[in-house]
Amino acid sequence: MTNEFKRPDGRKIDELREVEAKVGVVPNADGSAMFRSGKTIAIAAVYGPKKMHPQHQQNPATGQLRCDYTMISFSVSERIRPGKNRRAMEISEITKWALEPVLLLEKYPNQVVDVFIDIIQADAGTRCAGINAASMALAHAGIPMRNLVASVSVGKLDKNLVVDLTKEEEDFEEGEGATDIPVSMTPDGKVTHMQLDGKIRTKELQDVLDMAKTACGKIYEVQKKALKDSINMGGKDE
Ligand code: ADP
């Protein structure tokens, strides 16, 4: 890892984009939150726990989490075709896997918690921003949780590891090109989700996890503050 690597936006290799979080952005929902990293903005709204429909999907042993990730039509410069696509279905499933381990859903047999995530604006790292927003929204909805989950994408640009990739960085083609490694974890460093398609050495993967842990720690502080602020405001906007 070299410290001299120049990122297109001048950030240090371990520097996040500007991060912003707000809780209670969708008044009709049982819980909601916005998470922004640079130009990537995610909104999450939680409905439930409520009786699972269709009924044949009910599980008397536990409650269930359902996640629905969507990139809205104007989130990128070329309008996105409305409706479900394979990518959105994959990210919805991954979001569920990233969040389920911290939820105490066994308290809600036969019930479901629905999480809707809309990406308002996309500049890479949308699955991570969605998970960050959803984690806050679940806490805001009062769903019992062991911990929050924070998520960040660590990238390998040629041989350099950097955190929180932009779209421009994801498209990096020099040397070995770009590998994007989204990681989600609890503040005590338990990984709930990691994806990797590309080549990486074992030692580098350890460095990736170390960088993700530090970055997720910073995101966790932002999430925690947003949740505290929402309580201080009595759950209402200023
Ligand atoms: P992530 O957003 O989690 O990094 P991907 O790696 O699948 O997920 O996508 C990377 C980025 O590519 C997105 O954040 C977005 O900026 C862009 N992108 C994804 N899908 C589309 C699309 N249909 N049209 C234009 N840009 C897209």
Side-chain angles (χ1 to χ4, degrees):
M1 205 187 332
T2 86
N3 282 325
E4 292 104 61
F5 182 70
K6 292 262 177 300
R7 300 182 72 173
D9 58 8
R11 272 184 294 154
K12 298 199 198 79
I13 55 168
D14 60 351
E15 192 176 338
L16 293 167
R17 289 178 272 184
E18 189 191 44
V19 168
E20 188 187 347
K22 194 168 181 202
V23 166
V25 295
V26 182
N28 277 353
D30 295 311
S32 63
M34 180 281 299
F35 184 88
R36 176 175 74 81
S37 178
K39 286 191 241 159
T40 293
I41 306 172
I43 303 265
V46 171
Y47 293 86
K50 59 187 180 184
K51 262 244 145 63
M52 166 69 100
H53 288 292
Q55 203 171 343
H56 71 268
Q57 285 181 9
Q58 287 182 2
N59 182 346
T62 185
Q64 295 173 70
L65 180 69
R66 261 192 318 215
C67 293
D68 184 311
Y69 163 106
T70 309
M71 257 169 83
I72 63 175
S73 58
F74 56 80
S75 60
V76 284
S77 39
E78 204 146 300
R79 183 179 174 275
I80 293 178
R81 251 180 78 199
K84 286 272 158 272
N85 58 48
R86 284 183 67 95
R87 176 181 173 272
M89 281 161 67
E90 181 217 311
I91 297 180
S92 299
E93 206 55 21
I94 278 161
T95 301
K96 178 176 124 128
W97 293 340
L99 295 166
E100 248 174 358
V102 299
L103 300 176
L104 298 162
L105 289 172
E106 55 278 14
K107 290 182 186 290
Y108 302 107
N110 295 323
Q111 299 192 55
V112 63
V113 176
D114 272 319
V115 181
F116 297 94
I117 297 166
D118 275 344
I119 303 303
I120 306 297
Q121 199 170 264
D123 183 19
T126 63
R127 73 196 63 204
C128 298
I131 290 166
N132 290 332
S135 174
M136 288 187 287
L138 285 161
H140 184 228
I143 310 295
M145 296 167 81
R146 293 181 184 88
N147 231 324
L148 285 172
V149 172
S151 186
V152 75
S153 150
V154 179
K156 187 153 99 59
L157 307 183
D158 188 15
K159 293 186 171 52
N160 308 279
L161 297 183
V162 299
V163 299
D164 194 16
L165 299 191
T166 60
K167 178 80 174 115
E168 185 182 359
E169 288 178 316
E170 271 195 2
D171 296 340
F172 184 87
E173 282 180 344
E174 287 165 41
E176 294 177 14
T179 301
D180 170 28
I181 310 158
V183 182
S184 306
M185 51 170 78
T186 58
D188 52 350
K190 292 202 179 80
V191 176
T192 64
H193 149 238
M194 184 167 97
Q195 286 174 272
L196 167 63
D197 57 3
K199 286 188 186 159
I200 194 147
R201 281 168 277 273
T202 314
K203 162 78 182 76
E204 281 175 330
L205 194 56
Q206 190 54 55
D207 291 340
V208 165
L209 287 172
D210 289 345
M211 288 174 91
K213 188 172 180 190
T214 307
C216 284
K218 293 178 192 163
I219 292 168
Y220 169 68
E221 291 303 324
V222 175
Q223 291 173 307
K224 201 168 65 174
K225 182 172 183 306
L227 282 161
K228 276 196 181 146
D229 287 350
S230 77
I231 293 164
N232 294 340
M233 289 189 304
K236 295 213 162 56
D237 284 345
E238 284 162 298

